[in-house]
């Protein structure tokens, strides 16, 4: 019911925005201001009522743009000043606009293949697409995939895989969040996208290879309605850059890895730019067991059967299992604090038991439903390319 209500509110906001734009173009300033304000109110109401809604970052940015346009129509600021502030979130109107460096993580994370539990099919596809070509490019006269799409439920290791492959081939690693590009870069978005790819090309020549990792890529390349000009420009720039790195005549070893939890929202024109589309599924039994082994290695436990935990955790993501392990530790630590024994620095929590795990699991349902899994599997049947 909440999902339907959110979409009704979203539709109303978009309707108001379209009417405001039409009136603005006709020169009807008064009515345009009225409808811009209605759109702002609807977008902000949507954000406040549904704080976890997937497009909130974009809607905050749009509300800010319409607010700035109202100020222009009222004569409070000039058109040139509006262009300088275009795309700044409401929370940042009085602060410095986010810079290219603020939104980019260049330092390569220290993640190895062994840190990625299971996902053997995914690892093999990544090795064939990136690792082998980077080590022996002479064996690939027809070129090799430059665009890799990792899709699947949240919390199943997509980001970890991207970081691990960068370590495997000792590549320069550029990580950006697509939602930040759209919400914070909009005024200078296409220039910064071009700068990102230019930096990555230079790094690939200097270091041998480079990876651009874009999380939540659906925020950038998803199907959108009622797009503003800045969104169109940044998407077109990204398309241009993707086509440029896929040019078989280019010698640099540069890869774009995109991650998404919503592959079905991707624009058709961009799907084909990712020659490899790899499904990262919910962990199976063996993978769940390895994840439990990894997260419990520092915990003090007594008579805990990890195989049984892996069995009763079917459907849980890797992040779900991490949360379970964290929760059982909190249980025994809380007991220590509530007893007052924590005042003695030598006191330690009691060992974690199997009953602790079972109680926590009974209170925490997996974050992924069977309907979600079916949706991913259906998309994989239609679009997978491994």
């Amino acid at each position: 019911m909440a999902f339907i209500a959110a979409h009704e509110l979203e539709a109303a906001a978009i309707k108001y925005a379209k009417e405001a734009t039409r009136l603005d173009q006709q020169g009807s300033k008064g009515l345009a201001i009225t409808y811009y304000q209605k759109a702002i109110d609807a977008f902000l109401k949507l954000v406040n009522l549904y704080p976890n809604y997937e497009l909130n970052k974009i809607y905050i940015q749009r509300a800010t743009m319409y607010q700035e346009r109202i100020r222009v129509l009222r004569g409070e600021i000039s058109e040139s000043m509006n262009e300088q502030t275009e795309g700044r979130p409401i929370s940042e109107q009085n602060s410095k606009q986010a810079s290219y460096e603020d939104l980019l993580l260049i330092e390569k994370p220290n993640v190895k293949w062994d840190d990625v539990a299971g996902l053997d099919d995914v690892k093999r596809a990544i090795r064939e697409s990136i690792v082998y070509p980077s080590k022996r490019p002479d064996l690939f006269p027809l070129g090799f995939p430059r665009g890799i799409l990792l899709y699947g439920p949240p919390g199943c290791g997509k980001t970890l895989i991207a970081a691990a492959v960068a370590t495997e081939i000792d590549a320069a690693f550029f990580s950006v969040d697509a939602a930040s590009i759209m919400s914070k870069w909009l005024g200078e978005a296409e220039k910064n996208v071009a700068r990102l790819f230019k930096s990555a090309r230079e790094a690939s020549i200097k270091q041998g290879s480079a990876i651009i990792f874009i999380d939540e890529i659906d925020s950038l390349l998803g199907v959108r309605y009622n797009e503003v000009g800045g969104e169109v420009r940044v998407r077109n720039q990204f398309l241009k850059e993707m086509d440029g790195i896929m040019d078989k005549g280019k010698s640099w070893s540069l890869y774009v890895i995109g991650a998404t939890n919503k592959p079905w929202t991707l624009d058709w024109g961009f799907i084909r730019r990712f020659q490899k589309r790899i499904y990262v599924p919910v962990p199976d039994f063996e993978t769940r067991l390895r994840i439990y082994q990894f997260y419990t290695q520092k915990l003090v436990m007594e008579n805990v059967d990890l195989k049984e935990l892996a069995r009763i955790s079917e459907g849980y993501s890797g992040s779900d299992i991490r949360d379970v392990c964290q929760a059982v530790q909190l249980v025994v630590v809380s007991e220590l604090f509530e007893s007052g024994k924590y005042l003695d620095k030598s006191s330690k929590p009691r060992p974690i038991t199997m009953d602790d795990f079972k109680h926590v699991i009974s209170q925490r349902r997996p974050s992924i439903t069977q309907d979600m899994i079916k949706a991913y599997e259906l998309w994989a049947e239609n679009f997978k390319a491994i």
Side-chain angles (χ1 to χ4, degrees):
M1 193 70 179
F3 180 78
I4 295 173
H7 276 273
E8 289 178 350
L9 194 54
E10 178 182 50
I14 291 173
K15 178 182 176 181
Y16 291 140
K18 284 183 177 180
E19 183 63 14
T21 302
R22 185 184 69 81
L23 291 166
D24 194 354
Q25 291 172 346
Q26 290 180 351
S28 302
K29 291 185 179 181
L31 286 174
I33 290 172
T34 299
Y35 277 91
Y36 276 131
Q37 190 59 57
K38 287 184 176 182
I40 291 169
D41 293 343
F43 279 133
L44 294 183
K45 184 177 180 181
L46 179 64
V47 171
N48 290 327
L49 290 178
Y50 308 99
N52 296 321
Y53 194 57
E54 59 190 26
L55 296 179
N56 279 353
K57 290 183 179 179
I58 302 298
Y59 291 155
I60 291 174
Q61 170 264 318
R62 286 191 179 184
T64 305
M65 289 180 60
Y66 298 149
Q67 192 173 68
E68 293 299 312
R69 184 58 187 166
I70 288 174
R71 294 183 66 193
V72 171
L73 293 176
R74 287 174 174 169
E76 296 174 5
I77 61 174
S78 66
E79 195 80 43
S80 60
M81 287 179 65
N82 181 52
E83 291 174 357
Q84 292 173 9
T85 58
E86 180 185 10
R88 288 171 59 184
I90 291 174
S91 61
E92 296 182 0
Q93 285 180 9
N94 296 319
S95 62
K96 183 179 178 181
Q97 186 173 10
S99 69
Y100 170 79
E101 291 78 8
D102 291 335
L103 302 174
L104 183 65
L105 173 65
I106 300 178
E107 183 178 354
K108 185 169 60 182
N110 184 24
V111 179
K112 300 180 176 60
W113 276 127
D114 291 342
D115 297 329
V116 182
L119 301 176
D120 293 334
D121 291 342
V122 176
K123 291 178 183 177
R124 184 181 68 252
I126 290 290
R127 286 192 181 98
E128 293 172 353
S129 304
I130 298 180
V131 178
Y132 299 161
S134 69
K135 295 182 182 298
R136 287 292 304 275
D138 58 296
L139 299 178
F140 297 85
L142 298 180
F144 44 86
R146 308 294 183 96
I148 316 293
L149 180 68
L150 302 176
Y151 64 93
C156 291
K158 296 183 290 295
T159 302
L160 203 62
I161 290 167
V165 72
T167 302
E168 176 78 9
I169 65 175
D170 193 25
F173 189 69
F174 298 79
S175 178
V176 294
D177 179 86
S180 294
I181 294 176
M182 297 306 288
S183 65
K184 295 182 181 179
W185 282 7
L186 199 50
E188 293 286 320
E190 62 272 26
K191 294 179 182 178
N192 280 324
V193 168
R195 183 178 174 186
L196 169 64
F197 277 84
K198 181 176 183 292
S199 298
R201 285 192 295 269
E202 292 172 349
S204 71
I205 295 171
K206 181 179 179 180
Q207 192 164 326
S209 56
I211 291 174
I212 297 174
F213 175 66
I214 304 178
D215 200 10
E216 296 184 24
I217 199 165
D218 49 279
S219 298
L220 176 62
L221 306 183
V223 176
R224 293 285 181 267
Y225 302 97
N226 191 38
E227 289 185 317
V228 297
E231 291 174 337
V232 174
R233 292 196 301 272
V234 68
R235 284 155 59 86
N236 288 343
Q237 184 65 42
F238 190 90
L239 177 62
K240 175 183 175 181
E241 299 291 348
M242 283 290 289
D243 287 340
I245 70 167
M246 289 191 294
D247 187 341
K248 296 180 178 63
K250 305 298 184 182
S251 59
W252 51 64
S253 182
L254 172 59
Y255 307 89
V256 175
I257 301 179
T260 178
N261 301 328
K262 301 180 284 293
W264 43 80
T265 68
L266 293 175
D267 189 286
W268 288 80
F270 285 100
I271 291 176
R272 70 179 182 84
R273 264 78 183 183
F274 294 95
Q275 302 99 314
K276 288 287 186 178
R277 299 180 288 275
I278 304 170
Y279 179 35
V280 183
V282 174
D284 57 17
F285 172 81
E286 290 298 330
T287 303
R288 293 196 300 274
L289 176 58
R290 290 183 59 186
I291 294 171
Y292 269 114
Q293 291 170 340
F294 178 79
Y295 284 118
T296 61
Q297 57 187 337
K298 294 182 180 180
L299 301 182
V300 178
M301 302 185 299
E302 186 177 86
N303 299 323
V304 174
D305 185 348
L306 295 183
K307 289 185 178 180
E308 175 64 10
L309 291 179
R311 185 189 68 79
I312 65 177
S313 300
E314 183 176 0
Y316 284 65
S317 69
S319 61
D320 288 337
I321 294 174
R322 178 199 60 205
D323 292 343
V324 166
C325 295
Q326 185 182 74
V328 293
Q329 178 66 17
L330 287 174
V331 168
V332 295
V333 170
S334 295
E335 289 179 2
L336 182 69
F337 272 80
E338 290 169 4
S339 69
K341 295 179 181 179
Y342 74 94
L343 296 172
D344 180 0
K345 298 296 184 181
S346 64
S347 62
K348 302 292 183 183
R350 66 170 174 80
I352 296 168
T353 67
M354 192 69 178
D355 286 341
D356 294 322
F357 273 103
K358 287 184 176 180
H359 176 72
V360 167
I361 291 173
S362 71
Q363 301 297 314
R364 303 178 70 93
R365 307 314 305 155
S367 59
I368 303 163
T369 66
Q370 287 300 312
D371 287 342
M372 292 169 64
I373 293 173
K374 289 178 182 178
Y376 288 114
E377 291 175 346
L378 178 61
W379 200 87
E381 287 180 13
N382 293 320
F383 295 102
K384 68 179 179 182
I386 59 176

